[in-house]
């Protein structure tokens, strides 16, 4: 009874995107997701020979369906994007959700119990955004940052860690009372430093 | 609520519910998803459908899985029908709920009895449900006592039917809807606070916030519109207060975090509720009053008085609670807090600071002084605390409070014109900069310090774990070093302002005479140490003059040029913790000190010995919270009127302590007797003493005034408040007059006084007016109004215009009146002020223009009709004669008409010379403005011969000009506008200039551009002028280096290309791409993923511009359009200007930049060879 922990809603948030509300899938995908963006940016920075970047850069608006990105990149240079792993990643994303979403516009998704970010910058943004909203419900939300390096290997590890963290959070009844211990344990077990904070809806 | 769904089909609902029921207990996730959809459908469904599906829906309430049940409870609470039904349904399981006779009677009377017998355990629920739904149909009003029953039911449900959490929620809902039931509900909620399950307690507190706000609003509104209160509302309110106290005690008691956190949030919301929202409405919204909604509340509604709620008490309570919150972050309580509590405290305080800027000065010192590293005993997450602090500081930096706002117009004006009027502005800015610097340096410390601390921590914590995989902070160090780039811009900014400040400060120091420059360093050496000891050694009446330390430091600045503001800020920070400790000691000491002085003295002592750091507060009136008994706790509720920067007086530490003490005592007496003094008359002497006693006097005077103002505003009854108002006015006027009469005109005391008092009564405006426009009233002492006095008056008016926007218009009126004064000396002074200082202020320039035009027109105004009669001929003539010099005839005609019809001075008809003087009086302002405009156009350059002759024509003989202009004005509007717009045509003017290559040589242009670039803000069309100039002289060496932050900072031009490259790669960490064109080189540099820098270089001339796009641009397309349209001047304004805007727009986090492509570089091959190379546009 009480606040059954299995009902906690999660938000995985990486580079301004909400990726999934299912804890068991969100982690790894979140990290991968970010790679899409980073990959593209980096791609722009290193590969584009022309300085006139707008016409040659692949930057997509939030809300652009993954399907569209996939088709677009396939058309442009299938070999390149397959080699650098972006196409397979997009394919997986298509099966998760339609399009990347933006945290700042997620009010319609309701409240979350836990928000997990994978980059400190993003953590900052979430905290700031929550801080600036009007706290009407006074419903607490736990925001955790698990720093994940931006490459395939780390993303895979980060995904597993995220899942583990969520599972551990599920086991506690009232996170307000004992989240410190959970986090400290998690940090010890995995040699990771987490950043976490509490905000209110 | 989710959007309207047209019609939810019966079949769909049925299948949805079925599928939910059938799905197994294992997969909760999908089940909850289905429930969410069901919720959306149900909320959109009509009551008929609900009735049909009630039974299956309620079945879900007894689902095996907890989450499903919880969800259903939420759902039921949202749907009124379902809610009611659930409550009644609970009766099935709760026999004997309806205990009292009236309850049972009402129940039966409502006809419920037919469907649900009062005591019916174990009956099949289907039947009840159907019946209940019928009962709950719209339009049926339930008796209040039935609601009592429902409450009881809900309370029982906590234990029996549903998770207590939900029962609690339900009580909250009922309470919200029926505030009169609160006496019954509140005890249940108070009991819930102590519930074993933290979630229940949390829910109770959350409900409490809503209930409290609503009942407060209801009580407030009721009291505003009627003086009578019904008993039930009174008792409800008392219950609510009891509840509030319970939550308070939870908030400040060490214990279970789960309960404490929401309790702290409750305190935060209390502080916010009890203090006026500067952005809120001053009256309750009409719908709240008429429809009985009590969602919003702003304590400002109660300004006019309220039978139960006293604004002052509320403010005092808020202030006290804020003090308690602040104490939580001080030692020793800080040590006992858990990580989350500290985080919530920091966030709450920063929220309060942000939403109630009046508290800014109290909260910030505590946050700045917070040193989480000293309370690491519990393995505190330092990084997280630093992080929260950083966010708090950042949000405080963005605060729009006048005292916290970044220096803008005022400082810029100050920077441009170092004249005698500077001091008021600089005082304000110095205050602003203190906060900004401290915040910025604290932010820097956090950013720099954190990774190191983190690393140390981690190393010590994880000994023997050499294979630490990918420590995130190692990466971040680099990023953060890069980020450091921005703050220096601000610092540099403040340096500039400080330079100016020093000038003014020195001047002030000399004026006040009591200070010799030698004192200053010693004062600084004693610094905080001395003061702290004074504070602790508390038997003196209050040696510690507020702001002493601060002003000492400020004054010390000029003495030591190497002391940067940042260093100062750090120094202050370093001392802050000590100070806080010392303050706590002070308070305890104060508490123990036997009352040996009379009451006023005690008050004074208390108010003077408030938290030193808090004395930096922008708000003078907030006295310390810990002294709630002190009646000097001036109403915080007035802060909207009182948010004046608390400017620390440049007090110099007196060597002789006793002397100081004596002086202090004298003030206390004066203060004590101020009322008698005013009544008894003969107060001149004492006021003179006050005025003469310099800055401490200033401090005291302000306190007295604020106190009086508070009394007046409090409006206890008509008599008191009127008395207080009149005493306030008399006192202020007398002090002001004494200041005016006893000090030389160059003294700034009067200006300061008027800048800082709570408000300016009419008499002060009159006094100012007589200062600025001598001779207008009869009793003016001729001697007193020398030119200096006018200057003094005008400078006061100017500083008031800058610092007190609400009275801007009134002050402007005074200045304008002075600008048409009959004495030329006075007029010229005022015109200089108006044209040079006030006219550039965009907010009032229009009014000045209007006034000038009006005065101009007033000279000829009455002739309009007559003129129009003769218009045809004249206009024809005018059209023929474009050249003004050939307009002799119409001019003379106009003169005649003016002389005939001048309503300004009918007596002047026969005396042409005085008439001309009169005309001159009215018009000189207008011409000054015109000259100003023309001057702006040419802006320090040698004006073009064309302009020169034009201006000459206008200027040579004033009379001639005077005569031409009215005629121009009288000319048809379109022609007049054409003439005006021709004068205003910047581009054309520049064009005309640039064509005169022998006058506007390359050297001249270079100098001009260098001057232009110094201006803040950049002159209109600046970039365009630069481009034009480069177009005219391609070899011109113009170097502009723009770094963008909150403004523009102009670096030194790079002497060489090589150095520029080095500078830039140093700044951005590498150049990714270089592309050269004929005459321009474009670099694309990316410092990090966050920022994009684009540089443009004009090789020779070398023109560099750096464009930095902000952080968090999810997408951007930069097509920096850059063109040198030498051959097509005037054709592409907009494009150029857009580009310019693009470059000076400060990066704003959280905003997605969507900069769309403009065009391409069109390289300045120019008209010579007619070649335009357009590099790769797609």
């Amino acid at each position: 009874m009480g606040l059954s922990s299995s009902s906690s809603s999660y938000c995985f948030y990486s580079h301004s995107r909400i990726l999934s509300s299912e804890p068991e899938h969100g982690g790894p995908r979140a990290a991968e997701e970010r790679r899409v963006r980073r990959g593209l940016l980096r791609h722009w920075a290193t590969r584009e020979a022309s300085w006139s970047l707008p016409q040659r850069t692949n930057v997509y608006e939030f809300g652009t369906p993954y399907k569209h990105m996939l088709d677009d990149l396939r058309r442009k240079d299938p070999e390149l994007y397959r080699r650098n792993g972006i196409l397979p990643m997009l394919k997986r994303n298509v099966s998760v959700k339609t399009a990347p979403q933006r945290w700042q516009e997620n009010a319609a998704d309701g409240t979350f119990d836990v928000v997990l970010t994978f980059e400190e910058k993003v953590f900052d943004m979430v905290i700031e955004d929550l801080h600036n909203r009007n706290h009407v419900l006074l419903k607490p939300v736990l925001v955790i940052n698990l720093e994940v390096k931006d490459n395939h290997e780390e993303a895979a590890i980060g995904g597993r860690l995220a899942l583990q963290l969520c599972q551990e959070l599920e086991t506690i009844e009232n996170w307000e009372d004992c989240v410190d211990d959970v986090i400290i344990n998690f940090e010890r077990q995995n040699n990771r430093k987490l950043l976490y904070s509490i905000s209110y809806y | 609520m989710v959007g309207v769904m047209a019609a939810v089909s019966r079949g769909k609902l049925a299948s949805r519910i079925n599928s939910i029921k059938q799905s197994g207990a294992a997969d909760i996730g999908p089940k909850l998803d289905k429930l969410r959809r069901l919720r959306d459908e149900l909320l959109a469904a009509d009551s008929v459908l609900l009735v049909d599906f009630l039974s299956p829906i309620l079945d879900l309430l007894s689902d095996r899985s907890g989450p499903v049940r919880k969800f259903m409870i939420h759902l039921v609470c949202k749907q009124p029908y379902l809610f009611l039904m659930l409550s009644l349904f609970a009766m099935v399981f709760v026999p004997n709920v309806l205990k009292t006779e009236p309850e049972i009677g009402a129940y039966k009377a409502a006809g419920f009895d037919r469907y649900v017998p009062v005591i019916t355990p174990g009956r099949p629920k289907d039947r009840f449900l159907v019946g209940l739904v019928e009962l709950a149909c719209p339009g049926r009003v339930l008796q209040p006592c039935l609601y009592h029953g429902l409450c009881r039911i809900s309370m029982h449900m906590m234990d029996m039917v549903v998770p207590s959490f939900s029962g609690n929620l339900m009580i909250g809902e009922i309470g919200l809807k029926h505030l009169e039931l609160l006496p019954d509900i509140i005890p249940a909620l108070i009991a819930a606070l102590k519930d074993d399950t933290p979630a229940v307690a949390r829910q109770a507190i959350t409900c409490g916030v809503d209930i409290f706000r609503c009942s407060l609003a209801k009580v407030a509104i009721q009291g505003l519109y009627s003086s009578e209160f019904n008993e039930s509302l009174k008792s409800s309110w008392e219950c609510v207060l009891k509840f509030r106290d319970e939550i308070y005690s939870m908030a400040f008691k060490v214990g279970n975090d789960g309960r404490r956190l929401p309790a702290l949030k409750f305190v935060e919301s209390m502080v916010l509720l009890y203090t006026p929202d500067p952005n809120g409405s001053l009256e309750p919204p009409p719908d709240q009053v008429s429809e009985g909604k009590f969602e919003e509340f702003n304590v400002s509604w109660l300004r006019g008085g309220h039978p139960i709620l006293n604004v002052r008490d509320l403010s005092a309570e808020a202030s006290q609670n804020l003090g308690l919150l602040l104490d939580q972050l001080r030692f020793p309580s800080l040590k006992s807090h858990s990580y989350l509590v500290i985080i919530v405290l920091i966030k709450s305080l920063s929220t309060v600071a942000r939403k109630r800027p009046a508290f800014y000065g109290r909260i910030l010192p505590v946050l700045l002084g917070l040193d989480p590293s000293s309370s690491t005993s519990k393995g505190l997450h330092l990084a997280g605390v630093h992080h929260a602090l950083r966010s708090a500081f950042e949000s405080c930096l963005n605060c729009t409070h006048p005292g916290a706002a970044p220096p803008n117009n005022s400082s810029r004006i100050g920077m441009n014109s170092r004249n005698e009027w500077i001091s008021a502005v600089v005082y304000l800015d110095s205050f602003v900069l203190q906060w900004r610097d401290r915040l910025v340096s604290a932010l820097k410390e956090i950013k720099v310090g954190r990774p190191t601390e983190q690393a140390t921590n981690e190393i010590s914590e994880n000994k023997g774990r050499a294979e630490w995989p990918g420590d995130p902070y190692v990466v971040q160090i680099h990023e953060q070093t890069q980020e450091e780039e921005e703050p220096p811009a601000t610092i540099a900014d403040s340096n500039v302002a400080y330079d100016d400040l020093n000038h003014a400060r020195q001047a002030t120091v000399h004026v006040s005479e009591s200070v010799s420059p030698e004192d200053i360093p010693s004062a600084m050496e004693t610094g905080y140490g001395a003061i702290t000891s004074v504070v602790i050694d508390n038997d003196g009446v209050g040696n510690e003059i507020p702001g002493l330390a601060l002003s000492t430091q400020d004054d010390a600045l000029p003495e030591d040029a190497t002391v940067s503001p940042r260093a100062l800020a750090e120094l202050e920070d370093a001392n802050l913790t000590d100070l806080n400790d010392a303050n706590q000691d002070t308070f305890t000491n104060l508490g123990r000190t036997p009352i040996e002085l009379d009451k006023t003295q005690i008050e004074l002592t208390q108010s003077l010995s408030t938290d030193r750091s808090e004395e930096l507060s922008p708000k003078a009136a907030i006295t310390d919270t810990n002294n709630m008994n002190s009646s000097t706790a001036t109403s915080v509720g007035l802060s909207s009127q009182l948010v004046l920067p608390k400017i620390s007086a440049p007090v110099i530490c007196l060597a002789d302590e006793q002397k100081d003490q004596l002086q202090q005592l004298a003030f206390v007496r004066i203060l004590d007797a101020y009322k008698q003094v005013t009544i008894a008359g003969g107060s001149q002497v004492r006021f003179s003493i006050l005025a003469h006693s310099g800055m401490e006097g200033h401090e005291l005077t302000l306190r007295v005034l604020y106190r009086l103002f508070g009394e007046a505003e409090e409006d206890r009854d008509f008599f008191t408040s009127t008395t207080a108002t009149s005493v306030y006015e008399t006192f202020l006027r007398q002090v002001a007059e004494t200041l005016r009469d006893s000090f030389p005109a160059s003294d700034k005391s009067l200006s300061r006084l008027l800048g800082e008092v709570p408000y300016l009564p009419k008499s002060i405006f009159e006094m100012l007016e007589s200062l600025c426009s001598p001779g207008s009233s009869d009793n003016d002492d001729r001697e007193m109004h020398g030119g200096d006095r006018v200057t003094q008056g005008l400078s006061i008016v100017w500083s008031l215009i800058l610092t007190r926007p609400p009275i801007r218009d009134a002050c402007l009126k005074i200045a304008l009146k002075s600008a048409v004064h009959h004495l030329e000396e006075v007029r010229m002074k005022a015109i200089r002020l108006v044209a040079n200082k006030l006219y550039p202020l965009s907010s009032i320039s229009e009014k000045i223009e209007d006034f000038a035009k009006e005065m101009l027109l007033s000279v000829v105004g009455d002739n309009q009709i007559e003129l129009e009669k003769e218009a045809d001929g004249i206009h024809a003539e005018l059209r023929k004669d474009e050249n003004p010099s050939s307009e002799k005839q119409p001019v003379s005609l106009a003169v005649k008409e003016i002389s005939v019809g001048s309503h300004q001075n009918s007596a002047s008809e026969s005396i042409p010379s005085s008439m001309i003087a009169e005309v001159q009086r009215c018009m000189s302002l207008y011409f000054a403005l015109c000259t100003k405009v023309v001057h702006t156009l040419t802006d320090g350059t040698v004006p073009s011969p064309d302009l020169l002759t034009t201006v000459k024509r206008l200027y040579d003989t004033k009379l001639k000009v005077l005569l031409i202009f009215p005629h121009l004005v009288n000319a048809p509007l379109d022609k007049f506008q054409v003439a005006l717009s021709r004068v205003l045509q910047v581009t054309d003017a520049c064009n005309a200039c640039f064509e005169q290559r022998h006058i506007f040589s390359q050297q001249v242009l270079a100098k001009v551009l260098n001057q232009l670039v110094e201006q803040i803000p950049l002159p209109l069309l600046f970039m365009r002028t630069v481009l034009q100039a480069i177009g005219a002289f391609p070899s011109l060496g113009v170097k502009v280096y723009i770094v963008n932050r909150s403004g523009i900072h102009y670096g030194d031009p790079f002497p060489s290309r090589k150095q520029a490259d080095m500078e830039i790669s140093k700044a951005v960490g590498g150049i990714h791409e270089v592309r050269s064109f004929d005459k321009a080189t474009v670099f694309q540099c990316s410092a990090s993923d966050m920022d994009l820098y684009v540089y443009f270089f004009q090789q020779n001339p070398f023109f560099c511009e750096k464009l930095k796009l902000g952080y968090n641009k999810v997408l951007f397309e930069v097509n920096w359009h850059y063109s040198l349209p030498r051959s097509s001047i005037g054709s592409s304004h907009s494009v150029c200007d857009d580009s310019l805007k693009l470059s000076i727009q400060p990066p704003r986090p959280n905003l997605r930049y969507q900069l769309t492509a403009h065009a391409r570089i069109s390289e300045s091959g120019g008209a010579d060879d007619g070649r335009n190379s357009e590099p790769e546009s797609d």
Side-chain angles (χ1 to χ4, degrees), chain B residues 377-399:
Chain B
S377 54
K378 294 165 82 175
L380 202 66
H381 249 263
L382 264 190
V385 178
H386 281 300
H387 200 281
L389 275 177
R390 196 177 77 201
S391 314
F393 292 155
E394 276 166 359
S395 86
C396 287
L397 260 182
N398 294 333
C399 182

Side-chain angles (χ1 to χ4, degrees), chain B residues 759-778:
Chain B
Y759 87 103
L760 295 175
K762 209 177 151 209
S763 54
I764 291 296
F765 285 114
E766 282 163 4
M767 185 185 111
L768 276 178
E769 200 172 317
S770 73
L771 260 186
C772 295
S773 311
S776 52
S777 64
D778 302 335

